[in-house]
């Protein structure tokens, strides 16, 4: 964490900046997400074969290039829930203009549950409030994937 102290005539201002730690290979930075297939490939490479459900956020710039991809939560064998606050905090810190959420289903069945749909709708709504667009929500396994957006389950 970098801390800056600025002393002025009338006040002392202390500013702290926390950098986003990516926890993925740097080779993904700058990769353009050209559509659902590219996003699916990236998600499958990072979390597709995790033994527990993992939630991945891919933060994108104005050209839909990956700024950072972060495993934001690791859950149990059948549940990975994270609050929109933590995900959007990372998005804001890396100046993302959009993001894609993905999580894996260790069972291999990529059909989203009602809880999956509700969580992703909450993420999309929260992103809209702060001006960061959610482009898609994916469920992945090593061999399969499901786009919630392409299948019209998002608002």
């Amino acid at each position: 964490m970098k801390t800056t102290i600025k002393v002025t005539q009338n006040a002392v201002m202390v500013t702290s900046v926390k950098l986003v730690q990516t926890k993925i290979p740097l080779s993904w930075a700058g990769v353009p997400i050209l559509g659902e297939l590219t996003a699916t490939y990236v998600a499958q490479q990072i979390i597709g074969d995790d033994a527990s459900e993992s939630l991945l956020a891919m933060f994108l710039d104005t050209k839909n290039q990956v700024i950072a991809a972060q495993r934001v939560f690791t859950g149990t064998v059948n549940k990975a829930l994270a609050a929109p606050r933590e995900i959007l905090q990372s998005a804001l810190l890396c100046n993302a203009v959009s993001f894609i959420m993905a999580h894996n289903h260790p069972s291999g069945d990529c059909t989203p549950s009602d809880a999956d749909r509700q969580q992703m709708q909450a993420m999309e709504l929260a992103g809209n409030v702060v001006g960061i667009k959610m482009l898609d929500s994916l469920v992945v396994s090593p061999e399969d994937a499901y786009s919630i957006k392409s299948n019209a389950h998002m608002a």
Side-chain angles (χ1 to χ4, degrees):
M1 182 176 323
K2 180 180 178 184
T3 302
T4 305
I5 299 174
K6 182 177 179 182
V7 179
T8 64
Q9 226 174 8
N10 299 324
V12 174
M13 182 182 301
V14 178
T15 306
S16 294
V17 177
K18 183 178 179 184
L19 300 176
V20 176
Q21 184 177 7
T22 59
K23 298 183 184 177
I24 61 154
L26 293 176
S27 60
W28 293 111
V31 169
I33 301 297
L34 305 173
E36 177 185 330
L37 291 177
T38 312
T40 296
Y41 178 77
V42 172
Q44 285 175 320
Q45 296 304 305
I46 299 171
I47 62 168
D49 61 357
D50 285 3
S52 297
E53 280 201 18
S54 296
L55 187 61
L56 177 75
M58 291 177 263
F59 304 114
L60 310 174
D61 65 15
T62 57
K63 295 180 181 178
N64 282 355
Q65 294 177 340
V66 176
I67 298 169
Q70 182 179 24
R71 185 180 275 111
V72 293
F73 191 79
T74 300
T76 65
V77 75
N78 64 353
K79 187 184 283 186
L81 298 174
R85 180 186 188 283
E86 284 76 25
I87 297 164
L88 292 173
Q89 179 182 34
S90 293
L92 289 166
L93 287 170
C94 68
N95 277 339
V97 297
S98 59
F99 66 103
I100 296 170
M101 297 302 305
H103 76 280
N104 68 316
H105 279 180
S107 68
D109 178 3
C110 291
T111 305
S113 66
D114 288 339
D116 292 339
R117 291 186 185 107
Q118 290 170 1
Q119 182 181 23
M120 294 307 117
Q121 287 174 347
M123 279 302 311
E124 183 179 38
L125 181 61
N128 289 340
V129 168
V130 297
I132 302 175
K133 184 177 174 133
M134 183 172 172
L135 299 179
D136 206 346
S137 175
L138 306 169
V139 182
V140 300
S141 72
E143 295 84 28
D144 200 10
Y146 185 98
S147 166
I148 294 176
K149 182 175 181 180
S150 292
N151 288 286
H153 292 296
M154 290 180 68

